[in-house]
Amino acid sequence: MMKILLVIALVVCTGCQANLFYADEPKPPLEQLTDAFRSYFEQARTRTSQMEQEINQYTTNLREKMDPLAKDLMTKITEGADVLKERIEMEVSAARCALKPYIEYVTSPFEKGADYIRESLDLKDLKATVLQKGEELRERLEQGVKELQAKLDPST
């Protein structure tokens, strides 16, 4: 394309006045150059339009072919995920059943110990002891506060 443009420019610049029919008056070089550029750009525009149509057609064909494949792939992935989920749930359930005796064996001593502690503690006695000690502590604090006030205020 560049070679053709160069030849056209060379012809225009050299002032070639060749006319096949000798009917028209020769055009000035600037007008010839303008016509050559217009012709070149019109051809380029036409070719670009053709390429755009081809690309659009190719894109449409590709989309028509890919849409069913994508839907099929999504269906297969979803089905596979569901099968995998069911299998994992079965495996977890089986593992839970297999481990249940061991879990009970390990936790039963702790449960028995907790039950023994609950039974051995007499909550009423514990509550009475806590209340008695709390009362004793309050009386000591009151006595200490009175002594401190007496030391700080000698006029009383």
Side-chain angles (χ1 to χ4, degrees):
M1 247 339 160
M2 264 330 243
K3 290 180 182 180
I4 294 172
L5 185 60
L6 185 61
V7 170
I8 291 173
L10 184 61
V11 169
V12 170
C13 290
T14 58
C16 175
Q17 302 294 324
N19 193 342
L20 296 175
F21 299 108
Y22 297 107
D24 294 329
E25 187 174 307
K27 293 182 181 180
L30 182 60
E31 195 173 320
Q32 289 176 354
L33 183 62
T34 304
D35 289 345
F37 279 123
R38 282 185 186 150
S39 173
Y40 174 76
F41 285 116
E42 187 60 37
Q43 289 174 358
R45 185 179 302 136
T46 303
R47 181 65 183 138
T48 303
S49 176
Q50 289 172 353
M51 289 177 67
E52 182 179 342
Q53 290 175 357
E54 290 173 8
I55 289 172
N56 287 340
Q57 185 62 38
Y58 178 75
T59 304
T60 303
N61 290 342
L62 185 61
R63 186 173 293 130
E64 288 173 358
K65 290 177 183 177
M66 292 304 290
D67 282 345
L69 294 175
K71 288 177 184 176
D72 185 43
L73 182 61
M74 286 303 295
T75 303
K76 287 180 180 179
I77 289 173
T78 304
E79 290 171 357
D82 291 341
V83 168
L84 185 61
K85 178 184 172 187
E86 289 175 11
R87 184 167 180 189
I88 289 173
E89 288 174 349
M90 288 174 29
E91 293 291 330
V92 167
S93 177
R96 187 177 293 132
C97 290
L99 291 175
K100 188 174 182 177
Y102 298 108
I103 292 171
E104 289 175 0
Y105 176 76
V106 169
T107 59
S108 67
F110 295 109
E111 290 175 358
K112 289 178 183 175
D115 290 341
Y116 174 75
I117 291 171
R118 267 188 240 119
E119 290 171 3
S120 67
L121 286 177
D122 186 9
L123 295 179
K124 291 180 182 178
D125 288 343
L126 182 62
K127 182 178 179 181
T129 305
V130 169
L131 289 174
Q132 179 187 1
K133 295 294 181 183
E135 184 63 30
E136 290 174 7
L137 181 61
R138 186 180 61 76
E139 289 172 3
R140 281 192 212 164
L141 284 173
E142 285 178 358
Q143 182 65 30
V145 169
K146 286 179 185 176
E147 290 174 6
L148 186 61
Q149 284 177 345
K151 288 181 182 178
L152 292 176
D153 193 16
S155 63
T156 53

